[in-house]
Each structure stands twice: as structure tokens, then as C-alpha cells.
Amino acid sequence: MNYNWDWGVLLQQPYWGWLWSGLGWTLLISLGSWVIALSVGISAGIARCMPNRAIQIVASVYIEVFRNIPPLVQLFLWYFVFPELLPDALGLWIKRDLPNPEYVTAIVGLGLFAGARVAEQIRAGIAAVGIHLLPAALATGLRPLQAFRLILLPLGLRAVFGPLTSEFLITVKMSSISLTIGMLELTAQSRHIENYTFHGLEAFAVATVVYLLLGLSVTGLMRVIDRRFGAAKYRRASS
Amino acid sequence: MIVLNDIHKSYGRTQVLRGCTAAVKLGEVVVVCGPSGSGKSTLIKCVNGLVPIDRGSITVDGVSVTDKHTDLPALRAQIGMVFQNFELYPHMTALQNVSLAQIHVLKRSRAEADARSEQLLARVGLSSKLSSRPDQLSGGQQQRVSIARALSMDPKAMLFDEPTSALDPEMVNEVLEVMQALALDGMTMMVVTHEMGFAQRVAERVLFMDGGEILEDSPKSQFFANPSTERARQFLTKVLSH
Amino acid sequence: MNDFDWGVIARSWPFLAEGMALSALLVVVSTAGGILLGLGLALMRRSDHAFIAGPATVYVTVMRSVPLILVLFWFYFLVPLVIGRPVGALASALVAFVLFEAAFYCEIIRAGINSVRAGQTEAALATGMRRSQVMRLIIMPQGLRAMTPLLFNQVIIVFQDTSLVYVVALRDFMTTASVVASRDGRPTEMYTLVAVVYLAICFSLSKAIELYGKGRAR
Ligand SMILES: Nc1ncnc2c1ncn2[C@@H]1O[C@H](COP(=O)(O)OP(=O)(O)OP(=O)(O)O)[C@@H](O)[C@H]1O
Ligand SMILES: [Mg+2]
């Protein structure tokens, strides 16, 4: 393999700065989408378990639609199609006056995609707890809604702590697709450096290491939190 | 036949076996008993090398189990083993369960193997269940298939690890009867069990284990009439009281 | 906005079909290659030797931590360098997909293998079988049952993933649609079509898997 490795390039300006700002955007997009994903996902997940048929159906439709369309396609729908479908004035406002429309589109698009996956995890978590504990809870005289609020919901949310950590990391990785609508996040910046310096492999290597460290530290952090407050502690106490 | 000499075994920091020495002679039936966690399963799994040991030596019919150069699979093929949870292969019929190792280890033809398997399943009273899958059989039936599977290799000795503990009470006897018949045929057997009735009827000697040590190794009459340690005495009172 | 022109779909259909064929090719190759390589990785990770298990673990961890787009970029530049001549985006993308998805298939296969009780291995070893025989005759057939739904599920994810070859300008279904969208100025029609097609395919596949799983549980 004939490649002239030169790691020094990355330490020069502006490239070093590009990588940092890329990392910054990756974090901003991930966190922004995650806020949306959690709020929408938890609501939809709970709605999915409600006894009301209409609420259930609305939640299911959301989950199925947003899970089964590739996130890139969803992003394009929000970016190119959605403004066209609105009344002219509003569409125009989005296109012209919305501050940082790419960022807003990215977190909405990625957030709603991740939200559907979060909702599915929540539903599964609640269902898993319910199989064992619902009969017992009802037998103590709790009404179904009380049993849900007091037993299934808190335990279900604790049970999905691990899966939600994975979902967050998927969201971090998924934030890279926002480069297709012009967000200069980490992956985009490393590609950008390739364009300017022809030392792309070095830039990709740095990006790879950054994603890896991000993943490992989030996993580690969540494990610590889980051990202190979460399901792990609960499991130990109950056994 | 089976000689265990000063066996030591630890899992991480927990010492499970602390210097166990014992022997099972040709044609002898030895029962191993002791409280839960005392290391019975670990000991019996050392005999065919399923559990590698840290120190000591084991020989079966003169062949060292611990020697690096021993062909362990070939040795294991000559020792039958029966497990507490049967461990039948759930994706195969009773007949296939019994034939599998004959075909792949002894290199018998399928027809030859199936013929032998039918004989063995008849011997444990399951002629009518050849093509049943494990989940269609009762616990007692599954354990009898598993005994037939072990016998299919024409073993020199048999190891049993609590063969009746996972069974409903009414099925215990059908399995014990099969084992008793084996013993009468002269099979060398090492049996971990809490069935003291079986020990009294069939065993020559009883080993009592606690805390990873063999505290007693006595002829059964002596063990039941007059155990030499206090812990064995307590254990006996507990198991015999129900 | 009443001036939709759905005729654009009919007019561009042959072009779109070519895109779908490329998507299918990507799915088939990355699934077949990914499962094969993933099986190898899974067996490596089960090894008692750290120098066999270690590299596989590192490989899987790295691949699972980075975005697919970054991996596509890596191999877009790396594959021609390794081979020593230009190979085109498709070859690079196929390599990237196989190597990327293998890490995910590895974990599915490993979970399947681990779902088989340890006692099954002991019982099979006790009859004198060798480790390779135990794996082939006892563990794999049982593990396969446990992993099948997850494997199929991963195929759906791979299908969705293939849309990302957009970033290396490969003309899969998504990219052909976007080409038409900008050429004819019809993004609404084209992206709606893409969304509906993906939704229909992925939704029905995942429902089929669910039914298959339920049917088997009974
Ligand atoms: N694979 C293992 N890893 C770690 N510890 C183990 C393992 N297998 C057994 N042990 C420990 O070794 C000790 C002895 O276990 P063993 O299964 O031999 O006991 P036992 O006498 O068969 O008990 P039981 O009557 O419950 O079957 C136990 O404390 C057990 O927790
Ligand atoms: Mg035991």
C-alpha cells in the first residue's frame, strides 16, 4: 500500500479547528435529537400500553412508520418535502427565516426516528415487567391504572436503562447522516479535510478514535450510574 | 477403575475441592452425597475431564485424565454420564439422541447405530417413544433416554450427577430401577444422589462430602449405622427424616 | 400546492428499478458476507486464547462504535490504495458493508450460541464428541433457532442502511430517486415514493418476522 502518512497535517490550522468544531456539532446534534427522542419516545411508549384503543393505534402508527423508513429518507422528507406541504407563508418562513434550519431539521428528523425506537424499547420494558407483576399488583386490589402508574411504569423505565444507552449511542452515530443536508459534524469535517489535504485516512482515523472513545465513555458512565441508582441496584435489593 | 488422588480445584478465589482422594473399583457402585454446594458435581465432572483441575491426578482404567497427551474425547467416550437436567438434545428425537454419538464418535453406520439405540431404549422401557422429542416426554422418560444415550457408547463406567433431583416424586423410581438393573449387571458406577434408599439397596460404599472435602469414605453399612463425623450424622438425620 | 406531478414516477421507473436492483445487490452481498465473516468473528471471540479472542473483540467494538458513513468513506479511499488501482465506488462500498455488518452479525450469532445452556455442551462432550462436532451438531442447530428472528431483523436494518451509499454517489434506490428529484424538480413526489416503498417493504418484513416468531413460540 502506497500512502504517505502525515499526521502533522491534522495539527495545523484550520484542520485541527475543523475537527473540534465537528465534534462540537456531533454532540449538539446528538443531544438535541436525544431530548426529542426521549420525550416523544417515552410518551409514545406509554401511550402504546394504554387501555384506550385509539391512543394505542396512534402510537403504533407513529412507531411503525418512523422505524421502517430509513433515517436518511426521513431527513430528506423533513428538509425538502415538509416545507412544501405547509401553507405558503409558513413554508417560506421555514426556508428563509428559521435560524439554522439544517440543525433544526437534523434534530427533528433524527429525534423522531430515534423516538420510535425508544418507544418500542419502553413498550417492551413495560410489557416484560407486566407479565410477571401485573397479576400480583391487581391481586393486591390496585386498579389497572394505579398498577400501571405505581408498579409497571417505574420498573419498566428502570429495565430499559441499558437498551436506552445503546439507543443513545446509535443516535450519536446516526448524527453523521446530517452531513447530507450540510451539517459540518465530525464525519463531514474529516471528509472535508480529505478534500483539502488529501490526507483523509488520518482524519478518518482521528474521527474513528473519537467515536470509539465517545462510545466507551458513555457506556462506562451509564454503567456507573446504573450501578448506583438503576436496575442493577434494584435487582440486588430484590434478590 | 477410577482413581482420584488429592484433587484441588478453585473457581477464582473460591476453593471448591480441597484435596479429594477416592477410588471406585471395577464393578463397584459408589454413592456420593453431601449438602448443596459441597462440590459433588464438580468432583464427578473432574472424572471425565469436563472440569479441569488445578492439582492432583485422576486415572480411569489406567489412563490419566490430567495428562496433556491423553485423547480426552476418546476417554470420555468410554465413560457414560447422566445429568441432573437430562440435557437431551431438544432438536432431536429420542432415537437420534441415542444414535448421535455412535455415528459421529464410534463411526457406526446410521442403521447400525439406530438398531443399537432401539435395543437400549427397549432396555429402559421406552420402545414406544423412539420418535418423540424431549419436550414430548415426561422427566422420568427423558432421564431414561439420557441413560440410554450414555449406554450407547458401551461405557466401562457410568457417572450420575443427581439423576433424580429434577424429577417429580412419582417418576423417581422408574429411573432408580433402571440404575439398579445396571448395577446388577456389574456396571461400575459413581452416583451423586440424595436417594438414601438407593444407596442402601445398591451401593457398596458411600462418600460424604462437605466444604470441598471428602469427610467419609465408608462401606454403606457402616455409613448408615455409625457415621464417623458429626456433620455426616446431621446430614443423614436431615435426608432420612423425609 | 396542487401542482403535484405523480407521472414523474412512471417516467423514471426503469431508472428507479435499476436503483432498487443495486440496493438488493448490496443487501444480498452484505448479508451473505456479513454472516460468514460474523460467524468467524463469533467463533474467534469464544476462543480461550486471548490472542485469538482479543483482536475479534477489538474489531467488533470499533465497528460498532463508528457511523456507517465514516466506514464508507474509509473504504472509499482505502480499497483503491490497498489494491493499487481505482476500483470504483461499488467495490469499495461492498467491502465496507460486509466488514461493517459482520460486526453486528457476529454479536447476533454470539448471542444465539450463548443462549444454548452450558449443560448441552457438557453432555455432548461427555459422549466423546470433539469441540468442533459439539458446535456443529448440538450448539449451532439450537442457537440458529434463537438467532433467526434477529438475523432477519438485521437484514431489514441492512436494507435501510444501504440508503447511505448516497454519500459515495452510488446509485441505489434512494440515490436514483434523489437524482430524479433534482433533475425534474420533483422532490415531494420522489421522496414520498421512496418513503412509501421502504415503509411497505420494511413493515411487511418485520410483521412477517413477528408472526413467524409467534408461530414458533406456540
Ligand atoms: N462454573 C463455576 N464457576 C464458579 N463457581 C462454581 C462453578 N461451578 C460451581 N461453582 C461453585 O462451586 C461450589 C460447589 O459446586 P458444586 O456444583 O460442585 O456443588 P454440589 O455439591 O454439586 O451442589 P448441589 O447439590 O447444589 O448440586 C459452589 O459453591 C458453586 O457455587
Ligand atoms: Mg450438583
Side-chain angles (χ1 to χ4, degrees):
Chain A
M1 185 170 124
N2 202 350
Y3 185 79
N4 187 10
W5 294 92
D6 179 6
W7 297 91
V9 170
L10 296 181
L11 294 176
Q12 293 164 16
Q13 283 307 350
Y15 310 123
W16 184 242
W18 287 2
L19 286 172
W20 274 105
S21 105
L23 173 59
W25 278 115
T26 290
L27 293 176
L28 281 177
I29 299 167
S30 309
L31 293 175
S33 348
W34 191 240
V35 170
I36 297 176
L38 272 189
S39 29
V40 176
I42 292 179
S43 323
I46 293 174
R48 185 64 185 67
C49 301
M50 283 291 144
N52 184 316
R53 193 94 185 104
I55 296 180
Q56 256 188 33
I57 290 177
V58 171
S60 305
V61 169
Y62 162 69
I63 294 173
E64 295 301 345
V65 168
F66 284 76
R67 249 186 357 155
N68 285 307
I69 298 176
L72 179 63
V73 179
Q74 294 189 37
L75 206 56
F76 278 23
L77 285 175
W78 290 113
Y79 196 62
F80 295 115
V81 177
F82 180 66
E84 302 291 329
L85 301 180
L86 293 174
D88 287 351
L90 194 56
L92 225 66
W93 177 82
I94 287 185
K95 280 193 232 168
R96 274 207 221 135
D97 301 328
L98 181 70
N100 206 343
E102 290 84 10
Y103 178 71
V104 175
T105 308
I107 63 169
V108 169
L110 293 170
L112 291 178
F113 167 73
R117 300 179 50 111
V118 168
E120 181 55 22
Q121 299 284 8
I122 304 270
R123 183 204 61 75
I126 292 175
V129 175
I131 286 179
H132 299 295
L133 288 185
L134 189 60
L138 295 179
T140 62
L142 291 179
R143 268 186 285 277
L145 261 169
Q146 286 176 314
F148 183 82
R149 192 166 49 84
L150 298 172
I151 314 276
L152 301 194
L153 190 56
L155 291 181
L157 287 181
R158 261 182 235 177
V160 295
F161 194 84
L164 287 191
T165 305
S166 320
E167 289 302 332
F168 175 65
L169 289 174
I170 292 175
T171 306
V172 172
K173 290 188 285 173
M174 214 41 105
S175 69
S176 63
I177 71 171
S178 64
L179 68 83
T180 57
I181 57 170
M183 285 308 294
L184 289 174
E185 44 67 69
L186 185 57
T187 302
Q189 290 290 18
S190 64
R191 180 77 176 80
H192 210 179
I193 291 175
E194 200 286 333
N195 264 336
Y196 279 75
T197 65
F198 300 108
H199 283 284
L201 296 190
E202 290 89 334
F204 297 154
V206 170
T208 300
V209 170
V210 171
Y211 281 114
L212 183 61
L213 291 180
L214 217 54
L216 292 178
S217 41
V218 168
T219 313
L221 185 70
M222 290 305 159
R223 203 167 286 160
V224 171
I225 295 178
D226 193 32
R227 203 167 299 148
R228 277 192 78 84
F229 308 106
K233 185 169 182 180
Y234 165 77
R235 274 196 296 275
R236 219 174 313 127
S238 72
S239 65
Chain B
M1 186 76 185
I2 299 172
V3 181
L4 304 168
N5 189 19
D6 194 29
I7 311 293
H8 289 260
K9 171 71 189 177
S10 311
Y11 285 112
R13 288 227 192 99
T14 46
Q15 264 210 312
V16 181
L17 298 178
R18 322 158 176 258
C20 297
T21 299
V24 182
K25 291 200 271 302
L26 186 65
E28 197 175 33
V29 176
V30 171
V31 160
V32 182
C33 62
S36 181
S38 56
K40 308 177 299 289
S41 298
T42 309
L43 184 74
I44 202 167
K45 283 176 189 170
C46 290
V47 174
N48 60 357
L50 282 180
V51 169
I53 59 173
D54 303 333
R55 221 171 82 203
S57 68
I58 307 168
T59 59
V60 176
D61 200 19
V63 179
S64 168
V65 178
T66 38
D67 186 347
K68 271 206 184 81
H69 302 291
T70 302
D71 182 2
L72 263 188
L75 180 78
R76 285 179 186 140
Q78 301 176 2
I79 311 170
M81 184 153 192
V82 174
F83 297 82
Q84 179 171 358
N85 294 313
F86 329 134
E87 301 299 353
L88 291 181
Y89 312 133
H91 57 304
M92 296 179 183
T93 63
L95 188 75
Q96 289 169 326
N97 262 280
V98 182
S99 290
L100 188 76
Q102 298 180 58
I103 296 170
H104 291 277
V105 177
L106 301 182
K107 309 290 176 196
R108 288 181 185 155
S109 72
R110 176 169 297 276
E112 218 179 332
D114 284 350
R116 175 82 179 122
S117 303
E118 279 182 41
Q119 264 177 16
L120 288 168
L121 284 168
R123 181 162 158 198
V124 297
L126 290 174
S127 289
S128 58
K129 300 288 180 188
L130 300 183
S131 50
S132 305
R133 293 198 178 250
D135 59 7
Q136 298 163 330
L137 297 173
S138 74
Q141 292 170 331
Q142 289 188 56
Q143 195 59 300
R144 285 185 281 149
V145 174
S146 141
I147 293 174
R149 176 175 69 182
L151 290 174
S152 73
M153 307 303 286
D154 305 317
K156 293 176 182 166
M158 291 274 285
L159 309 172
F160 293 83
D161 187 5
E162 304 204 30
T164 56
S165 307
L167 297 179
D168 291 339
E170 75 269 20
M171 295 173 187
V172 168
N173 275 330
E174 65 188 57
V175 171
L176 291 181
E177 275 160 24
V178 169
M179 291 170 60
Q180 188 163 354
L182 265 180
L184 285 177
D185 276 358
M187 178 63 78
T188 309
M189 292 164 59
M190 187 165 169
V191 185
V192 176
T193 184
H194 291 165
E195 292 295 333
M196 288 303 127
F198 174 82
Q200 274 168 331
R201 266 177 284 132
V202 182
E204 267 93 28
R205 279 185 306 122
V206 178
L207 304 184
F208 173 75
M209 288 185 75
D210 194 10
E213 288 172 289
I214 298 179
L215 295 184
E216 296 238 8
D217 179 353
S218 8
K220 77 173 162 203
S221 48
Q222 185 187 331
F223 179 77
F224 286 109
N226 188 19
S228 55
T229 57
E230 185 53 33
R231 270 187 278 180
R233 208 184 304 273
Q234 284 170 1
F235 175 79
L236 271 181
T237 342
K238 266 191 218 151
V239 277
L240 291 179
S241 67
H242 54 239
Chain C
M1 296 282 300
N2 292 321
D3 52 347
F4 292 130
D5 172 17
W6 298 101
V8 65
I9 295 171
R11 287 197 299 280
S12 55
W13 189 246
F15 186 47
L16 293 174
E18 273 173 43
M20 191 45 101
L22 184 84
S23 299
L25 175 72
L26 282 163
V27 171
V28 169
V29 172
S30 37
T31 301
I35 289 180
L36 222 61
L37 185 57
L39 178 64
L41 286 165
L43 294 177
M44 279 175 77
R45 287 197 73 172
R46 287 176 56 80
S47 166
D48 293 332
H49 300 289
F51 54 88
I52 296 179
T57 305
V58 171
Y59 178 89
V60 170
T61 310
V62 171
M63 278 301 185
R64 281 163 36 101
S65 320
V66 298
L68 175 55
I69 294 189
L70 183 59
V71 177
L72 283 166
F73 285 158
W74 259 114
F75 289 95
Y76 187 73
F77 294 99
L78 201 55
V79 172
L81 275 173
V82 170
I83 294 184
R85 60 185 165 79
V87 290
L90 179 60
S92 304
L94 286 174
V95 172
F97 262 96
V98 168
L99 294 180
F100 182 76
E101 300 296 347
F104 293 84
Y105 283 115
C106 165
E107 291 307 273
I108 293 172
I109 293 170
R110 226 160 55 95
I113 291 174
N114 289 341
S115 74
V116 181
R117 281 210 314 263
Q120 288 281 306
T121 306
E122 288 189 340
L125 284 176
T127 62
M129 283 190 226
R130 294 178 187 276
R131 290 210 168 261
S132 55
Q133 289 177 316
V134 177
M135 184 52 78
R136 184 165 52 86
L137 299 167
I138 307 301
I139 309 298
M140 273 302 169
Q142 294 181 52
L144 203 58
R145 280 177 66 85
M147 67 180 98
T148 323
L150 292 174
L151 286 177
F152 280 127
N153 223 28
Q154 188 63 24
V155 175
I156 298 181
I157 295 176
V158 172
F159 179 47
Q160 296 198 9
D161 279 351
T162 58
S163 64
L164 294 181
V165 296
Y166 175 86
V167 301
V168 291
L170 260 184
R171 298 205 160 170
D172 73 317
F173 181 57
M174 162 76 189
T175 314
T176 47
S178 99
V179 168
V180 176
S182 47
R183 187 191 63 197
D184 296 2
R186 291 285 165 201
T188 306
E189 294 83 344
M190 294 316 292
Y191 292 129
T192 308
L193 170 77
V194 175
V196 168
V197 169
Y198 269 108
L199 178 61
I201 295 177
C202 297
F203 178 74
S204 35
L205 283 179
S206 68
K207 278 296 156 219
I209 296 170
E210 211 172 280
L211 287 179
Y212 165 76
K214 271 185 196 150
R216 230 179 33 175
R218 256 187 287 113

